Every structure is written in structure tokens, then in C-alpha cells.
Amino acid sequence: MLSHRKLFLASALLFAALSLAACGHTGKEGASSAAEPAWTEVSQWPDNEFTRHIPQPEAGSPVCFTQGVSAEYDFFSLELAGISLEDFRAYLQTVKDAGFSPVSELEEEPSPGSVSIANVYSKNETGLSLAYSSVSEGLILYISRPASEA
């Protein structure tokens, strides 16, 4: 079961990394596919079942979110803007201090023009994937939990 969880969290990280420019998407109206999540603009930190399980970053402004179900997990993804590399590193420590254990951590210096840092953490049944871009000073938080019984 643990390896299945790690595989899902790794795929969640990939989703987060590919979604960094999600809120800026300017495709045609109504031209969406199953691969493109619907993003909703937001101006404040959402209070929901997902965000209650993770620490709120001290820096950054929420921009947009999406949510859904993937591979028997419910997910909530939130994009934040205006986060410096130092702020992001402080948030990584906050996540660890809150009891999240690393599943995968990239400890390299940021690469220009790409996702700089991408880490995956877990705590109990909550998975947290973080993808940070130093170019846009943006952060995608991808929070996953086992799908709720309907």
C-alpha cells in the first residue's frame, strides 16, 4: 500500500509541475478536455477539508484553485503568486515542522526557466506536492486524500 501511495504522490507532483501556468491559460471558451482541469480564481486562502490538513504559507497570494478525483484520491490544487525562494524554503520547513514526512525532495538550486523545486510530503492520509518556480515566483500546492465514500 505504501508503494501505491508513493506512486500516486509522485504522479500528483507531475500534475502540479505541469499546472504551474494553469491560471494564465487563455484557451478558447468551452474548449476543454478531460486532461485540462477547470481553474477558479480566488483571492484568499480557501478554508476546506484539504487546506485544514496543511499549514498555510505566510507569504504569497492565492490566485486560483481546482479540485477533483484522480486514481481513487480526492485532490485540491491551489496556485499562489508572489513567493520568493527564501519564502518557499521557509514553507518547506513549516511543512516538516507540521509533521509531514518527505516522500521525494529535490535539493538542487533552481534552474532558470523551469520548475525550480518540486517536493512531495505525506502525513497520515494527506499527500502534499509542492512545485515552485523561481521565474514566476509561484507555488502550486497539490493536496490529496483518499476519495470519500459517496
Side-chain angles (χ1 to χ4, degrees):
M1 179 77 165
L2 185 58
S3 63
H4 180 265
R5 180 185 224 176
K6 285 183 180 181
L7 178 61
F8 176 75
L9 291 173
S11 65
L13 175 63
L14 179 60
F15 173 85
L18 295 175
S19 299
L20 273 175
C23 294
H25 179 68
T26 57
K28 292 182 181 178
E29 203 59 39
S32 65
S33 70
E36 293 181 33
W39 289 86
T40 303
E41 291 184 16
V42 65
S43 61
Q44 59 186 341
W45 182 259
D47 180 19
N48 60 39
E49 181 60 25
F50 295 96
T51 59
R52 285 184 214 119
H53 290 277
I54 67 165
Q56 179 177 346
E58 290 187 24
S61 302
V63 176
C64 60
F65 72 89
T66 189
Q67 63 187 60
V69 178
S70 176
E72 299 180 22
Y73 282 81
D74 292 329
F75 71 86
F76 183 84
S77 188
L78 176 65
E79 180 179 349
L80 300 172
I83 296 181
S84 69
L85 182 56
E86 294 76 25
D87 292 334
F88 175 69
R89 288 191 172 138
Y91 184 62
L92 291 179
Q93 188 59 52
T94 300
V95 166
K96 291 176 186 176
D97 292 347
F100 280 83
S101 300
V103 174
S104 170
E105 292 183 301
L106 181 61
E107 298 292 337
E108 299 176 7
E109 281 303 309
S111 306
S114 65
V115 172
S116 301
I117 300 174
N119 295 344
V120 181
Y121 298 91
S122 68
K123 178 182 176 185
N124 302 326
E125 294 188 329
T126 301
L128 175 60
S129 299
L130 305 169
Y132 175 77
S133 171
S134 60
V135 174
S136 64
E137 290 195 332
L139 173 64
I140 294 281
L141 296 96
Y142 183 92
I143 311 157
S144 62
R145 300 189 43 80
S148 53
E149 303 276 331

